[in-house]
Amino acid sequence: MAAQTSHHTRSKSFPLPSSSNPLVSHIEEHLVRLRDSDAPSTSSSISHKLNALQELYDCVDKLLQLPFSQQALSQEQNKGLVDELLDGSLRLLDLCGTAKDIVLQTKGSTQEIQSVLRRRRCGELELIGEVRKYFTSRKVARKTIHKALKNLKAMETKHAFSSSDDHESKSMVSLLREVEAVTSSMFEYLLTLISGPKEQSKSGRWLLVAKLLHQKRIVCEQARRRDINEFVKVDAALKSLLSQKMSKSENIMNVEMQSQLKDLELCIEDLEAGLDCLFRCMIKARVSVLNIFNS
């Protein structure tokens, strides 16, 4: 607490949560790194951001336990500010829950395909049936993601925070808004990565034919690129599988495809673990704000 006493006191007689406070400085450093880092295009870069956000929220929760934070947020005139922060945190928790549900659904679909491929004698129709189920699941996931991202953009556009005349409250709320903003951006990156590139519009049968004819070449090109994430690789490989007339067992028992499915499963497990941890950290920080508000 010694660091707090060195701050200049204000009208409310408690120290300003400036960058001289170690926790505030640490949070600001996390925010700068998260804002300045490149937009993640792979699962590993997303996992790194999830870990960084967990550390950020851990610092935020510790900051919320300090007296100057509790005083800044507990004042009656700041009720509107705190309400808006709580609404924002609930929106982010919903996004996190949506992302968790989608990765779990995709994990289940990939495991079903892997189960079929592992059998010594798997029927072509059985495999194709599972692949079609996979793409049905992906289609539903993309619709969910599109709706979530649309709602996110709409809320960001309409969301107008209340202001406060108290300098300490402004500083605290401004910091928490920045945390909300970088978290929102991360979920946008994550959901976009899971969704994959936008599919081309259907302008006629010729487009579908051309797509099928060139699918194998596209898969090979994508396999050589390191910046293509596991979701896109598996989508491309399975689309190629559907476009072929598989009469030979070696086409069904495709070793490369099994490897790609396994990579996607491992990727999903990493994302699942990261989202679970982040969800708990976000809940903990939200509960701390609620405790301050209700005290």
Side-chain angles (χ1 to χ4, degrees):
M1 296 297 177
Q4 296 179 35
T5 60
S6 63
H7 295 289
H8 295 292
T9 55
R10 299 285 172 166
S11 58
K12 298 297 179 181
S13 72
F14 57 90
L16 172 68
S18 68
S19 58
S20 59
N21 182 278
L23 270 176
V24 174
S25 298
H26 202 183
I27 290 172
E28 290 175 342
E29 289 170 4
H30 276 296
L31 289 171
V32 169
R33 285 197 295 269
L34 285 164
R35 282 195 303 261
D36 293 347
S37 59
D38 295 333
S41 59
T42 63
S43 61
S44 60
S45 57
I46 282 287
S47 294
H48 180 74
K49 274 190 174 286
L50 287 173
N51 292 335
L53 278 173
Q54 292 169 33
E55 295 175 4
L56 173 62
Y57 272 91
D58 183 57
C59 291
V60 167
D61 187 62
K62 290 177 182 177
L63 181 66
L64 291 171
Q65 307 306 317
L66 298 181
F68 71 72
S69 302
Q70 296 181 3
Q71 285 183 281
L73 297 177
S74 63
Q75 298 178 74
E76 183 62 30
Q77 64 266 33
N78 294 328
K79 183 179 183 297
L81 292 170
V82 178
D83 279 340
E84 288 165 351
L85 288 171
L86 290 171
D87 287 344
S89 69
L90 187 60
R91 172 170 57 87
L92 292 176
L93 286 169
D94 286 341
L95 275 176
C96 190
T98 297
K100 286 171 61 179
D101 289 342
I102 291 172
V103 295
L104 283 173
Q105 290 169 10
T106 308
K107 181 180 179 180
S109 298
T110 57
Q111 286 177 336
E112 289 296 327
I113 297 174
Q114 284 179 287
S115 177
V116 172
L117 286 170
R118 279 195 293 264
R119 295 174 196 164
R120 297 204 171 198
R121 293 183 180 180
C122 62
E124 180 181 334
L125 292 177
E126 182 183 9
L127 177 58
I128 290 176
E130 289 300 335
V131 172
R132 285 175 175 165
K133 286 180 184 178
Y134 169 87
F135 281 116
T136 298
S137 175
R138 291 286 282 151
K139 185 176 181 180
V140 172
R142 285 192 177 98
K143 287 183 178 179
T144 302
I145 289 171
H146 177 74
K147 182 178 179 181
L149 293 177
K150 186 177 180 181
N151 291 339
L152 176 62
K153 291 295 184 184
M155 293 184 74
E156 286 176 349
T157 302
K158 296 179 181 179
H159 204 41
F161 280 99
S162 303
S163 60
S164 172
D165 294 330
D166 182 74
H167 187 70
E168 290 79 8
S169 299
K170 275 185 176 181
S171 299
M172 177 60 61
V173 171
S174 177
L175 194 66
L176 295 177
R177 287 174 182 170
E178 279 296 309
V179 172
E180 178 181 329
V182 298
T183 307
S184 179
S185 295
M186 191 284 303
F187 281 124
E188 185 174 358
Y189 291 141
L190 172 60
L191 291 172
T192 302
L193 178 143
I194 294 172
S195 177
K198 293 181 180 179
E199 295 184 353
Q200 297 180 2
S201 59
K202 297 178 180 178
S203 57
R205 287 185 177 273
W206 68 268
L207 181 61
L208 178 60
V209 173
K211 186 176 180 181
L212 293 177
L213 287 174
H214 294 286
Q215 192 66 55
K216 188 173 182 179
R217 177 181 57 80
I218 293 171
V219 172
C220 292
E221 289 177 356
Q222 289 180 335
R224 289 195 295 268
R225 291 179 55 187
R226 293 183 178 181
D227 61 332
I228 296 295
N229 70 71
E230 292 83 353
F231 291 91
V232 175
K233 286 182 180 179
V234 168
D235 282 357
L238 294 178
K239 284 177 182 177
S240 178
L241 184 150
L242 287 179
S243 70
Q244 300 175 35
K245 293 182 179 179
M246 298 176 299
S247 58
K248 297 181 181 180
S249 60
E250 58 263 30
N251 287 332
I252 298 176
M253 303 299 292
N254 189 296
V255 175
E256 183 179 1
M257 184 181 297
Q258 292 186 65
S259 176
Q260 290 173 339
L261 285 165
K262 185 61 179 177
D263 288 343
L264 177 57
E265 184 181 1
L266 293 174
C267 156
I268 288 174
E269 288 176 355
D270 286 342
L271 292 177
E272 185 182 353
L275 287 168
D276 282 340
C277 290
L278 178 59
F279 190 83
R280 289 194 294 270
C281 291
M282 292 168 65
I283 284 286
K284 189 176 179 183
R286 176 178 169 80
V287 169
S288 294
V289 175
L290 282 169
N291 288 340
I292 293 170
F293 187 64
N294 294 325
S295 61

